[in-house]
Amino acid sequence: LVSAANRAVREGRADSVSGWVSGALAERAERERRLAAMADAVRAYEAEFGVISEAEIAAQELADRRGARRPARSALRRKSG
């Protein structure tokens, strides 16, 4: 990690090692905040509608994978327009 921080400074991607570490800590804190917000949202949803089943999770994962393979329609319109 120290080598990565030093490399980031050498390559101009960070002003200092401490700046690089500070940025990494800020990213980690933001990630944890988002994960906590997602967990809260799932708890609220399940409190209102019931526990999300394994079948529902599997169906959503499949839909997500299929969606990731197709370019967004708006992106296609931009390229052709």
Side-chain angles (χ1 to χ4, degrees):
L1 293 174
V2 172
S3 294
N6 286 324
R7 188 171 37 257
V9 172
R10 271 195 318 275
E11 294 173 358
R13 293 181 289 114
D15 293 333
S16 64
V17 170
S18 63
W20 187 84
V21 170
S22 180
L25 290 172
E27 288 175 16
R28 175 70 183 260
E30 178 58 19
R31 177 177 171 259
E32 289 184 3
R33 186 199 64 75
R34 286 192 314 269
L35 288 172
M38 288 174 23
D40 289 346
V42 169
R43 273 192 294 279
Y45 178 91
E46 289 183 333
E48 185 170 348
F49 300 105
V51 175
I52 300 169
S53 71
E54 291 297 322
E56 290 170 313
I57 292 170
Q60 186 60 55
E61 287 173 348
L62 179 59
D64 290 346
R65 280 195 301 276
R66 287 179 177 159
R69 285 188 233 133
R70 285 181 287 213
R73 291 184 183 271
S74 60
L76 290 175
R77 273 186 248 127
R78 280 191 300 253
K79 288 180 181 178
S80 63

